[in-house]
Amino acid sequence: MKKIITFLILLIIPLAVHAENDYKVLTHYIDSEIEISGNLRVKEMIIVEGNIEYFTRTLNYASFDGVWDKKEVNLDNGPIYNGTGVYNFAASAYTYNNEEIDFNNLNANVKEYFTELSPKKVGDKTYKITKKTGENSYNIYYKNNGKTVIYLEYVVGDIIVSHNDVRELNYTFKNLTYDAADTYLRVLIPYQTDSELYHAYLHGNSKGEYEEIEKDGQIYGIFAHYPNTKKEINVRITFPLEQIAIDQGTNHSNVDALEEIIKIEDKKLQNKKTGNNINNYAKYVIIVVSVMYILISYLIYKQHNNILNFVYLTLGLLISLFNYLFKANLIYIYLILIIPILIFIINKLKKKER
């Protein structure tokens, strides 16, 4: 009997711990600035709601696969764009009381920074680092119930690439898997510019939008908003050479890159437009086919044929699959699967009555 009770307790404990860390991410703010040294300084504010014991954020310094061999220059997301590490990490957390958010001062309400977790003193207001290839994972420990702010700041080292004609940032903010209702991103370059060498490209979910930040006719960065981000946001910016004063640690391609970069990004934009057009076309096709599917349901019902009904169900599954694959986002389409199931149930009941 004791063994059974002990076994049940062991089963319940992890479930209880998991239940206590039950929250949703409301808003994610990311403020980043390219430093004249070629690093990217980042501040993040993540607002969550619910019961929290710890929060995990994985920060990458490698955006693309592989290690650059210092020879081959792949301007289409090659390893030349990877940084050297995540440095100067700091974390904090506090209860959020709906204070106004100032992008210029995200750490305005931070009272204290947490210390790295010590095995001898495990407790609240600490963090733990797990290092992997290309990224570091941070567990921030803070117990709260309600709305909580998780604040992070860090530096991505040597992330700027130097070409013969421009400097370039090509960095991906990865692991944004929280399904935050809103993600706001700002990226600033070292100095304002009106140079034709400046170009900016962002890649995130299709519903995102961004604008260039201007002052007195000069650009000094970009501001973006992405609703319901589930994965990552890629930022690519080219800017004049003189904006990086210290470039000893940066990767040097030794090629004229701007023209090729523009071609690559224009092709991506064209592919995205083509993909959107295909998805829109597929959306209308799915609607028309679904209407026809519903209309023939009466004919399927009158046949009283299980094999035919199975084929009908299979067709419904294919329509639902296309709805998912082409990202038509027609949630109500999945309801058509109810029809063949109902036909099967009704036919079976009628068979019993006979």
Side-chain angles (χ1 to χ4, degrees):
M1 187 67 183
K2 288 182 178 179
K3 289 182 178 180
I4 295 173
I5 293 172
T6 303
F7 177 73
L8 291 173
I9 291 172
L10 290 173
L11 284 176
I12 293 168
I13 287 174
L15 292 174
V17 171
H18 178 74
E20 288 178 1
N21 203 44
D22 182 20
Y23 60 82
K24 62 178 179 179
V25 176
L26 302 178
T27 316
H28 192 162
Y29 299 90
I30 305 174
D31 185 28
S32 59
E33 182 176 3
I34 299 169
E35 298 182 324
I36 61 172
S37 59
N39 299 325
L40 184 69
R41 183 170 294 278
V42 186
K43 297 177 181 178
E44 296 192 19
M45 174 185 283
I46 305 160
I47 301 176
V48 306
E49 183 176 30
N51 297 317
I52 186 169
E53 284 208 342
Y54 66 90
F55 184 87
T56 302
R57 177 79 172 100
T58 300
L59 304 174
N60 61 289
Y61 55 90
S63 296
F64 310 106
D65 293 336
V67 178
W68 189 42
D69 60 5
K70 306 294 181 182
K71 296 176 183 178
E72 183 182 357
V73 178
N74 178 7
L75 297 176
D76 191 5
N77 299 343
I80 189 175
Y81 295 109
N82 293 336
T84 56
V86 176
Y87 307 106
N88 301 337
F89 177 81
S92 186
Y94 56 89
T95 300
Y96 180 57
N97 295 311
N98 297 317
E99 297 92 346
E100 185 176 350
I101 306 300
D102 181 6
F103 238 102
N104 295 311
N105 197 12
L106 286 183
N107 61 343
N109 295 304
V110 173
K111 305 300 181 184
E112 61 176 328
Y113 288 95
F114 296 173
T115 57
E116 190 171 351
L117 183 67
S118 170
K120 295 180 181 179
K121 190 179 180 181
V122 178
D124 208 20
K125 299 183 179 180
T126 61
Y127 66 88
K128 177 184 177 182
I129 307 174
T130 303
K131 294 186 178 182
K132 305 175 184 177
T133 302
E135 63 184 27
N136 295 345
S137 187
Y138 299 86
N139 277 5
I140 297 97
Y141 297 95
Y142 181 76
K143 295 181 181 180
N144 194 32
N145 185 13
K147 289 185 178 180
T148 305
V149 168
I150 307 296
Y151 175 78
L152 314 173
E153 59 183 53
Y154 55 94
V155 172
V156 183
D158 301 323
I159 201 67
I160 300 302
V161 173
S162 295
H163 305 295
N164 289 344
D165 48 354
V166 291
R167 312 276 190 188
E168 183 188 6
L169 169 72
N170 189 354
Y171 179 73
T172 302
F173 291 90
K174 292 186 175 184
N175 307 301
L176 304 177
T177 56
Y178 315 113
D179 195 19
D182 296 285
T183 299
Y184 297 94
L185 170 66
R186 183 172 73 168
V187 185
L188 304 179
I189 59 177
Y191 304 104
Q192 296 173 208
T193 184
D194 57 3
S195 171
E196 294 181 355
L197 299 176
Y198 172 88
H199 295 269
Y201 308 93
L202 270 79
H203 303 283
N205 68 40
S206 58
K207 295 181 181 179
E209 55 185 8
Y210 78 94
E211 60 183 9
E212 292 175 332
I213 307 170
E214 294 187 30
K215 184 178 181 181
D216 300 327
Q218 294 195 323
I219 298 169
Y220 64 97
I222 52 175
F223 182 81
H225 169 233
Y226 287 93
N228 304 115
T229 299
K230 300 183 189 306
K231 193 172 181 183
E232 61 189 33
I233 301 172
N234 174 259
V235 181
R236 192 170 199 177
I237 301 177
T238 63
F239 52 97
L241 292 168
E242 60 269 17
Q243 293 218 4
I244 299 296
I246 307 168
D247 64 353
Q248 293 180 352
T250 58
N251 290 332
H252 293 258
S253 70
N254 297 317
V255 300
D256 293 331
L258 183 58
E259 185 177 344
E260 183 64 23
I261 291 169
I262 293 173
K263 286 181 181 178
I264 290 170
E265 292 300 325
D266 284 347
K267 185 178 179 180
K268 287 181 182 178
L269 180 62
Q270 186 59 45
N271 289 341
K272 184 178 180 180
K273 287 181 179 178
T274 302
N276 288 340
N277 290 336
I278 292 173
N279 286 346
N280 288 334
Y281 176 75
K283 183 176 181 178
Y284 292 116
V285 171
I286 290 169
I287 291 173
V288 171
V289 173
S290 297
V291 171
M292 293 174 63
Y293 183 87
I294 294 169
L295 291 175
I296 66 172
S297 62
Y298 181 73
L299 296 176
I300 301 295
Y301 165 69
K302 294 296 289 182
Q303 294 299 316
H304 302 289
N305 189 313
N306 287 337
I307 295 175
L308 186 61
N309 192 39
F310 178 76
V311 173
Y312 185 59
L313 174 62
T314 303
L315 178 60
L317 289 170
L318 288 173
I319 295 172
S320 300
L321 180 62
F322 278 111
N323 181 51
Y324 173 77
L325 292 177
F326 287 97
K327 300 177 181 178
N329 297 322
L330 302 170
I331 303 298
Y332 56 85
I333 291 297
Y334 299 112
L335 296 176
I336 65 174
L337 297 174
I338 297 174
I339 300 173
I341 295 172
L342 287 175
I343 291 173
F344 177 79
I345 293 171
I346 292 170
N347 286 339
K348 195 169 183 180
L349 291 173
K350 283 192 173 184
K351 192 175 181 180
K352 283 184 177 180
E353 288 177 0
R354 292 172 191 167

